Amino acid sequence: MTKIIQVEQDMSALDEAAEALKNGALVALPTETVYGLGANAFCEPAVKNIFLAKGRPQDNPLIVHVSGRAMLEQVVRRIPPEAELLMEHFWPGPLTMIMEKADCISHTVTAGLDTVAVRMPAHPAALALIEKSGVPVVAPSANLSGSPSTTRASHVIADLSGKIDYIIDGGACQVGLESTVLDLTGDVPQILRPGGVSLAALREVLPETTYEPALKQSGIAPKSPGMKYRHYAPKAELYLVSGDFTEKVLPRLSLEHEKGRKTGVLCRKPENLPADFAMESGETPEAYAKLLFDSLRRMDDWGADVIFAELPPETEGITAALENRLRKAAGGHVL
Ligand code: TXA
Ligand code: MG
């Protein structure tokens, strides 16, 4: 049985779940990026249960979530000076940093690596839960492996109800896409996964920070093991559209309708398109990011066979993360 707990202002609603989390339960928690599936990082059976509940490949390491600096010190061998600077600017928030792991962090958590990914989330319920449990909390995104991530408690219920102990409902996630994963163990800081903190923002603090999306997409020796798997994909076939959306999609919609397939579109101006289910992606990349996973899930629930989604035109801020998720979700289908 999965127990659902609502939190708004009063964090004492979390006491029971925090105690259970510490003792080995699986607890889904809201963060500012996406919902996470949490377990006590020091409890091996609980960590293993995360992989089982999600159907996650064993070689994809987990992010350790901390509530502050003291907890960070527990889980890494040393804190590099770059991390000190980044912490000041971006924590709590959507930045995950890779450092050398401390001995107390098991190879189950890190999937055999000697490094560990650490983040301090900004959602008050996530911070309160970690603090009350008193232990660092490993948490991958709270979705079935391969599916769109979860940004509302209802998404977590759909994917994981009956498989986990608690779901904390803290409302819709603010950012809507996962944290930026930044590797601090190489010569220069390197973005392994674009996310809620942009390359430009990181470069204001550490100018030498790099990001090579092409290398990542080619699949050569991925440094972040998770990158090689299918991710974020809806059940419907998903096609991305760059350039003039209407011009490209109109003929495709007629073709799909001739085949008797149910069509969905996700774009800035869906009003006059003859799709069966039309959703607005929002005017800004931030709005699009916040609603992306919810939109894909809603179209799946409705029974779409094929979805056409607009690729965002700009390349700043959250756009790199948005484009990365869209491309992975579409498995390379671009019109
Ligand atoms: O926003 C987020 O980061 C969310 C919330 C819940 O905090 N969590 C999340 O976790 O997205 P997950 O497991 O879905 O993605 C973690 C990513 C994977 O791509 C994984 O391969 C990478 O981080 N990762 C974890 N530990 C790593 C390590 N030691 N070295 C390289 N990559 C690592
Ligand atoms: Mg994930």
Side-chain angles (χ1 to χ4, degrees):
M1 253 283 288
T2 304
K3 189 165 172 181
I4 296 159
I5 295 172
Q6 308 286 335
V7 278
E8 276 163 30
Q9 308 299 353
D10 181 13
M11 296 294 158
S12 65
L14 294 172
D15 289 352
E16 179 188 324
E19 181 68 16
L21 178 65
K22 184 174 138 198
N23 293 323
L26 297 192
V27 180
L29 61 141
T31 83
E32 76 282 22
T33 59
V34 299
Y35 273 73
L37 177 57
N40 177 348
F42 298 143
C43 179
E44 275 298 281
V47 176
K48 289 188 173 136
N49 281 339
I50 281 189
F51 288 88
L52 292 177
K54 284 195 54 152
R56 182 180 177 99
Q58 303 269 345
D59 64 351
N60 193 4
L62 304 174
I63 296 174
V64 176
H65 295 68
V66 299
S67 58
R69 195 201 156 90
M71 226 180 236
L72 171 66
E73 282 173 7
Q74 264 188 294
V75 302
V76 299
R77 250 187 69 194
R78 61 180 196 97
I79 303 177
E82 295 87 352
E84 299 278 6
L85 269 174
L86 293 171
M87 260 193 305
E88 260 175 52
H89 284 86
F90 301 110
W91 275 16
L95 176 66
T96 296
M97 294 186 272
I98 313 274
M99 299 175 235
E100 282 174 63
K101 80 172 188 71
D103 291 339
C104 65
I105 295 297
S106 76
H107 280 130
T108 313
V109 169
T110 68
L113 299 171
D114 290 325
T115 57
V116 63
V118 194
R119 146 167 140 85
M120 179 180 179
H123 195 294
L127 282 176
L129 186 75
I130 301 167
E131 208 141 275
K132 282 171 189 280
S133 72
V135 290
V137 172
V138 287
S141 50
N143 51 278
L144 290 175
S145 205
S147 303
S149 305
T150 51
T151 54
R152 293 170 178 271
S154 60
H155 303 160
V156 185
I157 294 171
D159 274 23
L160 296 170
S161 184
K163 295 183 169 184
I164 64 177
D165 302 292
Y166 291 88
I167 296 172
I168 313 293
D169 183 349
C173 300
Q174 277 305 312
V175 180
L177 302 178
E178 296 82 351
S179 62
T180 303
V181 176
L182 184 71
D183 184 9
L184 294 178
T185 66
D187 297 336
V188 294
Q190 191 187 15
I191 292 180
L192 301 182
R193 177 180 74 181
V197 174
S198 70
L199 174 63
L202 289 170
R203 279 188 174 159
E204 276 179 31
V205 181
L206 297 178
E208 66 277 28
T209 305
T210 62
Y211 173 47
E212 295 153 60
L215 186 75
K216 299 296 158 331
Q217 270 152 23
S218 72
I220 306 161
K223 255 206 120 173
S224 195
M227 317 249 292
K228 65 176 184 274
Y229 294 108
R230 182 182 152 92
H231 266 317
Y232 322 112
K235 297 187 191 91
E237 245 175 70
L238 173 63
Y239 290 90
L240 305 182
V241 182
S242 67
D244 191 323
F245 191 82
T246 304
E247 194 185 320
K248 284 194 172 158
V249 163
L250 274 178
R252 292 296 301 242
L253 288 174
S254 341
L255 267 177
E256 297 296 342
H257 286 150
E258 275 166 31
K259 290 191 237 162
R261 303 223 294 170
K262 288 161 80 179
T263 57
V265 293
L266 177 60
C267 62
R268 279 176 298 169
K269 298 207 161 46
E271 297 84 22
N272 300 318
L273 287 164
D276 301 313
F277 192 159
M279 293 190 78
E280 245 182 81
S281 61
E283 273 306 317
T284 61
E286 284 73 22
Y288 197 170
K290 185 169 175 179
L291 282 175
L292 174 65
F293 292 134
D294 184 54
S295 305
L296 296 179
R297 283 175 173 270
R298 280 177 59 181
M299 288 205 246
D300 267 352
D301 291 345
W302 169 79
D305 295 306
V306 55
I307 302 169
F308 298 97
E310 188 168 9
L311 262 177
E314 295 124 275
T315 52
E316 311 225 304
I318 195 87
T319 314
L322 182 56
E323 185 173 333
N324 168 276
R325 303 308 186 274
L326 280 166
R327 285 186 184 276
K328 287 188 177 244
H333 292 157
V334 184
L335 301 181

